[in-house]
Amino acid sequence: MSQPARLVLTLVLVWGTATPVAAAQVERAVRKRSVVVASSPADALPVVRVARDTPTVFLFPAPINRKTLTFDESRIHVLDAGERSVIVQPVADLAEGERYEVGVFFADGRAPARAAFSLVTDPAEVDIQINVQRPELAGAACPVDEPRAPQPEDFVLLGLVDKEGVSATPIKGYADAGRGFHVQSAIAYRGKGWVLIDARVTNFSGQSPWLPREAMLTGRVGLPLRARIVMADTTAIQPGEERPVLVVADLPQLPVSPVFALELVGDGRTLKIPNVRFPKAASGATP
C-alpha cells in the first residue's frame, strides 16, 4: 500500500473510532470493497454504504479533477479531497430509500470520464474504503488518447463560467495588404478568468503558406500577455484560403482600459490586429 493510501486509511480509522457513543448505538460491520464505475450515463451507479459516525474514503486509479466534485452539501460532508482520493461522511444517517450522489471527473478525460456513486445507509454494514476501478470498454484493446466531447455542464464544473456567464463583442474587420492578410470578422469573448478571440483569417493569393505559431496580446499598460492558439486544422493556411483561428488567454482581471493589439507570429510573417476590445462582464445574471 502506498504511503498516501496508508495516511488516508489511518485518518479514516482515527475518525471512525472518535465517536464511541455513536458506535455503541449502531454497531455496523466495516467493509473495504472494490467497485467499478458506470460505463455510461444509462448504467446504474455503484452503491456505497455510508454512516454518520464513519468516514468513507474513495481511492481512485487515476488523478481526479477536484474542481468537478459534486455532492449535496446539506446532506454530505467532504472531509478531504486529494489528487486520487476523496473522504466523505453524511451529516446524518440516510433514511431507508434515501440516496445521494457523489461524482467527480477524472483528470485524463478518458472514458468513462466521470466516477459517480449512490450513497445509502445500511443498518448492518458501512464501507470505510472504496477502491475505485474503471471498466475496460468493449473494443478498446489498445488505449486511445481521444478526449471526451465537451458538454455544456463542463464549463461550470471546471469553473470557466460563473453567474456572470459569457459576454461577447465584435472586432472590426482588418486588412494588411502589405503582409498579405485580411481578417474578415472576429469576435472577442470573456468568461471567468479567461478571454478568447475567434478570428477568420484570409491568407492573400500570391503569398506563401502561413501557419500562426505564437500569439501575444499587448495592452497600453502592463506586460504583454502570452496566449495560446487553437486551430481545428493545424496545417498551414494556403494562399487564397480563409481559416478560423482561436486565441485564448488567462486574464483573471481585466484592465481599466481593456484595449489590446493581437500579434500572431507565423512562418516569415506576423499578423497584427489592432483595437481588440474585450467586453465587460455580463450583467444579466442575479445572485
Side-chain angles (χ1 to χ4, degrees):
M1 182 181 294
S2 65
Q3 189 65 27
R6 291 196 190 96
L7 177 59
V8 169
L9 183 56
T10 300
L11 291 174
V12 170
L13 293 175
V14 169
W15 278 323
T17 58
T19 54
V21 175
Q25 292 174 351
V26 181
E27 297 213 1
R28 296 182 174 91
V30 296
R31 304 295 186 203
K32 298 178 186 178
R33 297 191 297 126
S34 296
V35 301
V36 180
V37 301
S39 301
S40 71
D43 295 341
L45 299 181
V47 175
V48 175
R49 299 161 298 193
V50 296
R52 174 183 60 85
D53 58 348
T54 306
T56 298
V57 59
F58 294 85
L59 298 178
F60 296 90
I64 58 174
N65 189 333
R66 286 172 286 184
K67 292 183 178 180
T68 67
L69 187 63
T70 55
F71 59 98
D72 188 335
E73 296 182 11
S74 67
R75 301 294 290 148
I76 305 296
H77 285 321
V78 171
L79 305 179
D80 184 62
E83 183 182 7
R84 291 179 178 239
S85 65
V86 174
I87 302 176
V88 304
Q89 190 170 2
V91 176
D93 285 344
L94 306 181
E96 184 178 355
E98 188 178 12
R99 293 172 178 255
Y100 287 93
E101 179 178 320
V102 169
V104 68
F105 281 89
F106 287 102
D108 58 18
R110 290 195 303 106
R114 184 172 185 261
F117 312 91
S118 181
L119 306 187
V120 302
T121 293
D122 187 306
E125 296 181 335
V126 60
D127 297 317
I128 63 169
Q129 180 176 313
I130 295 295
N131 299 312
V132 181
Q133 298 179 356
R134 295 168 92 175
E136 291 292 335
L137 300 183
C142 298
V144 178
D145 295 331
E146 186 173 326
R148 180 184 65 91
Q151 302 297 321
E153 63 269 21
D154 294 343
F155 296 99
V156 175
L157 292 172
L158 294 173
L160 299 176
V161 175
D162 60 6
K163 65 181 180 180
E164 294 181 342
V166 177
S167 51
T169 187
I171 299 174
K172 187 177 180 180
Y174 174 74
D176 186 346
R179 296 182 179 178
F181 294 112
H182 178 221
V183 179
Q184 182 176 353
S185 63
I187 300 177
Y189 296 90
R190 179 188 176 191
K192 184 183 178 183
W194 58 269
V195 292
L196 182 149
I197 300 168
D198 180 4
R200 300 196 67 86
V201 178
T202 299
N203 186 17
F204 280 5
S205 298
Q207 296 289 337
S208 59
W210 182 78
L211 179 66
R213 299 184 182 276
E214 296 182 10
M216 189 171 298
L217 287 162
T218 305
R220 294 174 181 173
V221 294
L223 297 174
L225 180 64
R226 189 170 296 278
R228 63 184 185 274
I229 299 171
V230 180
M231 299 175 64
D233 185 347
T234 57
T235 61
I237 304 175
Q238 298 300 312
E241 183 184 5
E242 177 190 285
R243 186 88 62 79
V245 178
L246 303 182
V247 177
V248 189
D250 296 326
L251 193 61
Q253 293 184 341
L254 203 62
V256 177
S257 180
V259 181
F260 295 87
L262 170 62
E263 292 187 29
L264 295 174
V265 181
D267 301 322
R269 288 178 289 156
T270 297
L271 170 59
K272 187 172 182 178
I273 306 173
N275 298 322
V276 174
R277 295 177 180 268
F278 293 108
K280 296 179 179 180
S283 58
T286 57

